Every structure is written in structure tokens, then in C-alpha cells.
Amino acid sequence: MSNLTIGSKQEGYLLEFESDAVYLTAYPPEENGSPFSDVTLVCALLKKHEAPDFKVTDVIKILREHSGERIELAAGEKAEELPLPLPGLTISRDKMEVTLSFEKLPENIDELDRKMIDDLLAQNKVVYGIMPDEIEQFLTCPSLSRTVARGKAQVNGQDAYIKQHIDFSRRNHPSELEYGRVDFKNLNLFFTVSKGDLLAERILQTKGTEGTNVFGQVVSPKPGKPIPLIKGKNTAIIDDNKLIAVIDGQAVEDGKTISVDPKLELEGSVDLSTGNINFNGMVIVNGNVADGFYVKTDGDVKVNGTVSGTIEARNVYISGGILGARNGSVRAKEDIYVSFIENGDVIAHRDIFVNDVVLHSKINAGRNIIAIKGKGQIVGGTATAGLLLDVKFLGNPANVITRAIVGENPVIKSKYDVLKEKILREKQELEKISSALQMLNKNHLPDLEKKAIQLKKMQFSLAGQIEREEKEKKQLEDEIDKLSRARIRVSDIVFAGVRIVVQPYFYTVQNRFQHTSFIADTASEMVKIAPY
């Protein structure tokens, strides 16, 4: 074997082949440098240059110590017979996991150390997600395979979706009461909404989060898919992603979007099959409104049957009649049209029109009660109208006590009293603001200029509000003035037993009259009987 030198101090090792021996020097690493530790390379060089048999353990020891000393390699086992105790390294197909394992444990397993594992990972370019604790566990128990490096998985983006703000799944499910009881009068058959209500919202897709594999390479996520937000009938899209109602009505879902229907029509009756009705638009009931149930809406109500329950609406149209035998009532912000009323409790802020009879009921109209069609008769109970009570028959031959009152509108009177008191308070507040401004103007203090500006704004706003309320008050006064001209008209007969009130005067009918009117005579301070 001729003299030969391989390696250098800069490379971290030096092999010297001489005629009688082979020497290996492993240099300590330079500052911030990595030590040379490639046992495989040294063994390969020794074999290539036909070095005498040597102990692999000596090579490992010299490279591990990095003493910088020139050490002779002692003769020993052949390198081929003493392979390094390195485990098998498996990298998953997605490059996210690295696993170490031995098919069969080598005899020299005790020589396996942490540095050899680190070198093995480095040689396979594994640089990310290395788990030192798992490596130590493997060194402690090399008979078991163990995952020693794991990448950071990417998080794919979420698809966009439509978030409904109305829970349509509650349809046909009765409302729950306390103690587990169920309210079968509220079946959630309909979902009412008001103008401007949020119906649905599009939640946008996300991009996702990048991951990193064990080679340190970025793994891009799959972005989420978009979804269209479809506008339904009587709806609008605002802020690109919000669906709102543009009218009051019933929210209706068709599987793709939500629409708003201004009308609610029931084929049957309002009873246990439907429960109570709360709605913001027009309601059509092709059956009856049963006792104990109600229909409430800001729109109109049309009932093609009879009403024994409760109705609250703007205008009420009842093709049948009102049968208020128990606790039912009918309330209208404007007018009521009905065939007949029996034992009813009825209030309209404007007019009540009856096509037949009113029996033993309490009815109240802010303006007029008109019963001149069909029998056109009011018998028993109390009928109160603000301006006019116009009927064919008032009372009956049996002299049943019947009260007829005109010139009284509690709704207008209450509204007038509230408004009058409000205007008085606001005028007192306006006087206080004016006094405070006069004081500030006299002193001319710069520090109070901001306060003066605020007071002037308040003064202007309050004065404008008072002006608007004064106009409304004047309109109410005109309505109240009209009440002084109220009258009762009976085109056919008014029977004895009828008690007439034309505010503020009273009169009890002793004998029947025909074609008669009753008005207030302020001169004589009594009810005056006049021709029809």
C-alpha cells in the first residue's frame, strides 16, 4: 500500500495511508461550524484503498471525539461485516411524517446514538417538525417503530355558505311553555317579518392556512368555494352579503332563497289546526276564527266565516258575523265591515258597518256606526259613535234596554290630553333654554361658547317639534269640535226603553218614534228630537 493522504483540516478529517499502517485524524469543528461525522464515507474510502482490516467501532469513536489527534486504526473485523446500526427511515407519501424502525435489531445496537439519528435525518433532507423527545424514545426502545418528525398540515379553506336568520325548522312545532308543557295555539306555521329585518347572510369562503412538510417546503391550502346570494321576491341585498325584507309580511323559503309574501291566506279556520296568527300583512281566513284563538296583524283581515275569537288589525272584513259568546273581541285601527254582531265586543277607530243586526253587544266607533242594510237593527247592549249612529231600528218591541251614545271618542280625547300635556312640558323646557342663552350672551365667556351652541341646537329642534305638535293638536281640536254636532238617526222605529246620550245630554225613550233624529240642543241643554 503506497503512501496516500485524503482529506484536510478544512474538511474536518484526514486519512493517511502508509506502508505499515493507516491513521485517521478527526479535527474539532471551527467556531459555529459542524463537526465531520460521516462514518459511511470514511469506511468507503478505507475499502476503496484496500486498507487492512479495521474496527468500525474505532472509526466511530474517533469521529465522535473529534480530538484532532492522529490515531492509528487497529486491525479488526471487516467493514462489510460490521454495518452501522442505522434504522430504516420511511417518509410518508404526503411528506408529512418520518418514521424510524428496524426490521431486525443489529448486534451492535448499543452503538446507536442521537447524533447518528440526526445525521440520518440530515442526509435525507428532513429539516422541519423534528421531535427530539420522540427520537429519545426511539433510542430507548429501538425495537418499536416511532414517528420522529411531523410536518404542519395545511388547513383548507371553508366553502361559503348562507346563514339563515329564520329557523324554518321550527315550522309545525308548537311553542314550549314552562315545565315542559306545549302551547298548541302557537304552532309556528308562519314566520312573520318586518321591513328591514335580516333574513339571511352570506358567510364568505376562506383562503385556508399554509402548511409545511418535513422537507421545509410550503404546502398550499385548497381555497373554499364561493356561493351566490340570491335575492327573493320583496327582498334586497345590502352590504353585498345581507338579505333583508323590503316589506312587512310572511317569510317563505323555496330551497334556494327567501321571499316575503305580503299576504297570508288560510284555506280553513283559525283553530287548533293552525294556532294563533301573528302577521304583518293582509290575512285572509276562508273559514272561521274559533273561540280562544286570535289573529293579529298590522294589515287588513278578511274572514269568510264567523268570528268567535279575537282580531286586531287595520281594517276588518267579516263575511259572516261576530259571535262573541265568551272572551273574543274585534279591534280595528280603521274600519270594520260585518254581517251581524251577537254578544260582541267591537271597537273601530273610524267606522263600523253592519249589514244586518247587532244583538246584546258593546260596539264603539270613533266616527260612525252605520246599520241601514238588511234588518239594520241594534238591540240590547251599548252602541257608541263619535259622530253618527245611523240605523233602521233601535231597540225592540220587548223594550230591551239599549244604550245609544254619540259625541264621544275616547281615542281622540285621550290622544288630545296626552299631546296637550306634552306640549306644555316642552314649552316650559324651551323657556329654560331661552333664559340660559340670554345669560350666556350677556356674559360673553369664551369657555361657554360651546355650551351656547349646544343650547341653540336644542332650542331650534324643540321649537320645530312644538310647532308640529301644535298643528296636530289643532287637528284633534277640529275632530273634537265635530263631536259637538254628533247625532243619532233612526230611519224606521226607535222603541221605548232605549237610552239616548248625545254628549253631554241624556234622554230615555218612553214611547216609540218613527223617522227620528236625536241631537244636542245647547240652548235648552237637553237632547232634542228632530225629523230623520
Side-chain angles (χ1 to χ4, degrees):
M1 181 176 61
S2 59
N3 293 339
L4 175 66
T5 300
I6 301 175
S8 65
K9 186 175 183 180
Q10 288 74 20
E11 294 177 76
Y13 75 99
L14 182 66
L15 270 174
E16 298 175 89
F17 297 88
E18 296 185 358
S19 57
D20 56 348
V22 177
Y23 299 89
L24 174 62
T25 304
Y27 297 100
E30 297 180 356
E31 185 177 357
N32 298 326
S34 299
F36 178 82
S37 58
D38 195 342
V39 176
T40 304
L41 175 62
V42 172
C43 291
L45 291 172
L46 291 170
K47 181 179 178 182
K48 178 180 179 181
H49 295 284
E50 300 179 350
D53 294 341
F54 58 89
K55 293 182 178 179
V56 175
T57 53
D58 288 346
V59 175
I60 294 173
K61 181 178 180 183
I62 295 170
L63 293 181
R64 183 181 299 169
E65 292 177 352
H66 299 94
S67 64
E69 297 180 3
R70 185 171 182 263
I71 300 174
E72 180 180 354
L73 292 176
E77 298 177 351
K78 293 184 179 180
E80 301 83 70
E81 297 174 357
L82 294 173
L84 293 175
L86 294 177
L89 182 145
T90 303
I91 299 175
S92 63
R93 292 185 63 182
D94 61 2
K95 305 176 184 178
M96 284 294 176
E97 287 189 354
V98 176
T99 303
L100 297 181
S101 63
F102 282 104
E103 290 187 7
K104 181 179 180 181
L105 289 180
E107 295 180 0
N108 58 338
I109 188 64
D110 292 341
E111 299 176 8
L112 182 66
D113 62 9
R114 171 64 185 275
K115 187 176 185 310
M116 295 170 67
I117 300 298
D118 290 342
D119 291 343
L120 180 62
L121 293 173
Q123 290 169 16
N124 286 274
K125 300 181 180 179
V126 176
V127 296
Y128 182 85
I130 296 173
M131 299 180 286
D133 291 345
E134 295 299 318
I135 294 175
E136 293 299 332
Q137 290 291 331
F138 179 76
L139 292 173
T140 302
C141 187
S143 61
L144 298 178
S145 63
R146 190 170 293 274
T147 299
V148 295
R150 183 175 286 116
K152 176 184 175 183
Q154 79 278 16
V155 179
N156 292 330
Q158 293 184 341
D159 293 343
Y161 65 95
I162 304 299
K163 177 183 178 182
Q164 293 187 347
H165 286 265
I166 298 174
D167 186 5
F168 289 99
S169 65
R170 292 189 298 111
R171 188 185 299 277
N172 297 326
H173 291 280
S175 300
E176 293 185 4
L177 301 173
E178 293 182 338
Y179 310 113
R181 294 181 297 130
V182 175
D183 183 4
F184 286 101
K185 290 185 178 180
N186 292 287
L187 301 179
N188 294 315
L189 291 179
F190 317 102
F191 298 94
T192 62
V193 295
S194 300
K195 180 180 179 180
D197 281 355
L198 181 61
L199 305 176
E201 184 177 6
R202 174 168 54 191
I203 307 301
L204 295 177
Q205 69 275 15
T206 60
K207 295 180 179 179
T209 305
E210 291 182 340
T212 307
N213 62 26
V214 294
F215 300 133
Q217 298 167 335
V218 173
V219 181
S220 299
K222 182 180 179 181
K225 298 178 181 178
I227 190 173
L229 179 61
I230 303 174
K231 183 175 69 172
K233 185 179 179 181
N234 297 317
T235 66
I237 296 175
I238 63 172
D239 301 332
D240 295 330
N241 297 301
K242 294 181 179 180
L243 184 72
I244 65 168
V246 297
I247 62 169
D248 296 343
Q250 175 190 188
V252 181
E253 182 192 32
D254 63 3
K256 294 181 180 179
T257 188
I258 300 174
S259 300
V260 179
D261 191 341
K263 181 180 68 175
L264 173 62
E265 184 168 1
L266 304 179
E267 293 302 323
S269 299
V270 176
D271 51 23
L272 281 173
S273 66
T274 63
N276 295 319
I277 303 298
N278 269 303
F279 193 62
N280 294 336
M282 183 176 184
V283 178
I284 299 174
V285 181
N286 289 311
N288 307 319
V289 178
D291 182 23
F293 291 85
Y294 65 74
V295 176
K296 296 181 180 180
T297 177
D298 292 333
D300 297 343
V301 171
K302 181 179 179 181
V303 180
N304 290 323
T306 59
V307 175
S308 300
T310 298
I311 293 179
E312 295 179 15
R314 181 175 59 195
N315 292 289
V316 179
Y317 306 85
I318 304 174
S319 298
I322 297 173
L323 296 169
R326 297 175 65 182
N327 300 318
S329 64
V330 177
R331 302 285 186 266
K333 294 179 181 179
E334 295 181 4
D335 303 328
I336 295 174
Y337 298 81
V338 61
S339 293
F340 69 88
I341 305 173
E342 182 178 346
N343 295 311
D345 178 6
V346 180
I347 296 177
H349 288 192
R350 293 198 316 196
D351 301 329
I352 297 175
F353 298 90
V354 183
N355 289 336
D356 201 354
V357 297
V358 179
L359 302 175
H360 309 290
S361 299
K362 180 181 178 182
I363 64 174
N364 192 317
R367 296 192 315 195
N368 307 311
I369 296 175
I370 309 296
I372 57 176
K373 294 182 178 181
K375 291 183 179 180
Q377 187 172 19
I378 297 178
V379 180
T382 302
T384 304
L387 298 176
L388 174 64
L389 174 60
D390 194 357
V391 297
K392 286 183 178 181
F393 295 92
L394 195 55
N396 70 353
N399 299 334
V400 173
I401 295 175
T402 305
R403 296 176 179 84
I405 304 170
V406 293
E408 179 179 297
N409 189 329
V411 174
I412 292 179
K413 185 64 169 59
S414 175
K415 190 174 181 180
Y416 177 79
D417 291 341
V418 170
L419 187 60
K420 183 179 177 181
E421 181 64 27
K422 185 171 183 286
I423 291 173
L424 179 61
R425 291 196 307 269
E426 290 172 346
K427 284 183 175 180
Q428 292 172 348
E429 182 66 24
L430 189 61
E431 288 179 2
K432 292 179 182 179
I433 294 173
S434 299
S435 298
L437 280 172
Q438 289 177 4
M439 186 179 297
L440 291 174
N441 291 333
K442 286 180 181 179
N443 295 329
H444 297 292
L445 296 176
D447 295 342
L448 298 177
E449 287 184 1
K450 187 175 181 180
K451 181 66 174 177
I453 292 173
Q454 292 176 344
L455 287 174
K456 286 179 181 178
K457 289 181 179 179
M458 292 173 60
Q459 183 186 43
F460 180 79
S461 176
L462 191 56
Q465 182 171 321
I466 292 173
E467 183 180 355
R468 291 189 295 273
E469 290 171 347
E470 287 283 9
K471 290 181 180 179
E472 184 180 356
K473 177 170 167 282
K474 179 63 170 60
Q475 292 173 350
L476 292 175
E477 288 172 345
D478 292 341
E479 293 291 329
I480 293 172
D481 182 61
K482 290 179 183 177
L483 298 178
S484 65
R485 298 189 293 276
R487 65 173 53 207
I488 297 173
R489 298 185 353 146
V490 182
S491 63
D492 207 320
I493 299 173
V494 55
F495 295 92
V498 174
R499 298 179 182 180
I500 301 291
V501 177
V502 183
Q503 292 289 7
Y505 311 118
F506 300 83
Y507 177 76
T508 300
V509 177
Q510 302 295 332
N511 300 296
R512 67 172 62 183
F513 295 97
Q514 286 185 300
H515 309 297
T516 306
S517 293
F518 299 90
I519 60 175
D521 186 351
T522 55
S524 61
E525 296 184 350
M526 60 185 296
V527 174
K528 181 180 179 180
I529 301 173
Y532 178 76

